[in-house]
């Protein structure tokens, strides 16, 4: 029998998928109505978190942050059965994941941090990506359980906390991507271009496909083989900022990147590939 703590959009759909697979699930949420909403699907909801984990050999959690995870697990501890396994899908700090792994091990329990790149629909459909790292014998035993929940389980090796760090890195890229789209929409507005026309562009031209190659160029430091010279990229950034200023449109990302470009141009790298702006990040 399993327990699941945290019935947000992700957690509730994980539970629905588990129930569809014939699992017996006890659920808890701070707002009890969200847990009780899973009862028509076959879950058993509890108001008390210690009662929710009672009798469960595996406890999944999807909560807000490190502090919430620590608080909820401490309250649940009175109901944990000996040797129970805690699988935490919360996006947390790497430091927190490392500390919790050691702490719960000292108490006689298994704690594994397994963050995900999955939306609610992915959780319901058991698609998407789940990340793990740490004790490989633990991961090996839990792999069948975890693989049922996601399209792909990615194991980053024995280092505790690495999965947490990689999840944050991935989220940083998603945040940057959305900020870049905000700039693109502002620039489109400045040029009287409708958002639908941007969709037409990106439905045909997928810049995301360039990410692996772009990252390899940066990590290989192939800046002297330009596909787009820094001087030319900076010229285009200038055109973007001028158009936005004339239309009284806001740009967030481009001005900051332009300043970074200026730094490298001043250092004599104007004819290098523009990806040199990432050199100091290595």
């Amino acid at each position: 029998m399993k327990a699941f703590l945290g019935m947000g959009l992700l957690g509730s759909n994980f539970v629905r998928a588990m129930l569809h697979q014939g699992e017996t699930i006890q659920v808890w949420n701070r707002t009890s109505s969200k847990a009780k909403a899973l009862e028509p699907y076959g879950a058993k909801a509890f108001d008390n978190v210690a009662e929710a984990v009672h009798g469960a050999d595996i406890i999944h959690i999807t909560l807000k942050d490190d502090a919430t995870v620590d608080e909820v697990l401490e309250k649940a501890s009175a109901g944990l059965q000996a040797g129970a396994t805690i699988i935490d899908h919360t996006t947390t700090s790497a430091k927190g994941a490392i500390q919790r792994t050691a702490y719960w091990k000292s108490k006689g329990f298994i704690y594994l941090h397994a963050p995900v790149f999955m939306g609610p629909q992915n959780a319901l459909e058991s698609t998407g990506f789940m990340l793990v790292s740490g004790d490989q014998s633990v991961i090996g035993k839990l792999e069948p359980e975890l693989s049922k929940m996601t399209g792909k389980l990615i194991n980053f090796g024995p280092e505790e906390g690495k999965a947490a760090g990689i999840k944050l890195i991935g989220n940083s890229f998603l945040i940057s991507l959305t900020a870049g789209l905000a700039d693109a929409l502002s620039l489109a507005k400045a040029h009287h271009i409708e958002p639908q026309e941007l969709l037409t562009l990106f439905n045909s031209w997928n810049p995301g496909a360039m990410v692996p190659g772009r990252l390899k160029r940066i990590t290989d430091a192939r800046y002297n083989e330009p596909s787009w010279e820094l001087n030319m990229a900076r010229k285009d950034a200038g055109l973007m900022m001028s158009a936005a200023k004339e239309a009284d449109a806001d740009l967030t990302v481009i001005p900051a990147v332009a300043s970074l470009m200026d730094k490298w141009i001043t250092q004599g790298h104007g004819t290098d590939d523009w990806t040199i702006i990432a050199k100091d990040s290595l």
Side-chain angles (χ1 to χ4, degrees):
M1 192 266 291
K2 297 182 176 66
F4 212 116
L5 312 180
M7 294 296 99
L9 295 175
L10 194 66
S12 60
N13 275 4
F14 270 137
V15 168
R16 287 177 59 188
M18 289 176 174
L19 292 169
H20 183 71
Q21 294 166 3
E23 302 277 8
T24 300
I25 312 290
Q26 298 182 169
V27 297
W28 172 89
N29 194 74
R30 195 185 301 272
T31 303
S32 60
S33 60
K34 291 185 177 181
K36 293 185 186 303
L38 274 299
E39 289 189 326
Y41 296 98
K44 185 174 182 181
F46 290 83
D47 293 328
N48 183 291
V49 68
E51 293 177 1
V53 302
H54 183 73
D57 53 347
I58 294 178
I59 298 95
H60 291 272
I61 57 177
T62 54
L63 298 168
K64 179 184 177 183
D65 53 24
D66 288 282
T68 309
V69 171
D70 290 337
E71 176 192 351
V72 170
L73 285 180
E74 200 58 43
K75 290 180 178 178
S77 61
L80 291 172
Q81 71 174 25
T85 296
I86 302 163
I87 304 175
D88 185 4
H89 306 291
T90 309
T91 298
T92 70
S93 67
K95 180 179 178 181
I98 293 168
Q99 291 175 340
R100 276 185 290 278
T101 302
Y103 175 79
W104 289 103
K105 184 177 181 179
S106 73
K107 299 288 186 180
F109 303 101
I110 294 171
Y111 172 93
L112 178 68
H113 191 230
V116 299
F117 288 114
M118 297 171 69
Q121 193 63 29
N122 297 116
L124 187 61
E125 297 172 350
S126 301
T127 60
F129 301 88
M130 185 177 291
L131 319 179
V132 290
S133 69
D135 188 325
Q136 295 296 290
S137 64
V138 169
I139 292 171
K141 291 176 183 176
L142 293 175
E143 185 172 357
E145 166 78 11
L146 300 175
S147 295
K148 288 191 298 183
M149 299 175 66
T150 186
K152 186 172 180 62
L153 180 67
I154 309 176
N155 185 346
F156 286 98
E159 184 179 335
E160 305 287 358
K162 182 173 282 190
I166 290 176
K167 173 63 194 294
L168 288 178
I169 292 165
N171 278 5
S172 77
F173 186 83
L174 293 177
I175 290 170
S176 301
L177 175 63
T178 301
L181 286 173
D183 271 15
L185 288 166
S186 289
L187 197 57
K189 186 176 180 181
H191 285 89
H192 307 292
I193 293 170
E194 293 296 322
Q196 185 60 44
E197 293 178 281
L198 289 187
L199 283 173
T200 299
L201 170 64
F202 290 130
N203 280 333
S204 298
W205 172 62
N206 177 17
M210 303 177 188
V211 170
R214 189 68 49 84
L215 181 58
K216 190 172 191 322
R217 176 187 282 272
I218 293 169
T219 55
D220 289 348
R222 289 188 291 108
Y223 309 121
N224 61 346
E225 303 171 12
S227 61
W228 192 19
E229 286 188 358
L230 179 57
N231 282 330
M232 298 304 291
R234 178 59 178 87
K235 179 265 297 181
D236 288 358
L239 291 173
M240 298 169 200
M241 290 188 291
S242 293
K245 183 177 181 180
E246 289 173 8
D248 197 25
D250 292 327
L251 295 179
T252 301
V253 177
I254 296 301
V257 176
S259 294
L260 190 57
M261 290 174 169
D262 290 339
K263 171 190 137 178
W264 286 97
I265 290 171
T266 300
Q267 293 178 17
H269 295 280
T271 57
D272 286 334
D273 191 83
W274 81 287
T275 54
I276 197 167
I277 65 172
K279 183 178 180 180
D280 285 347
S281 299
L282 296 175

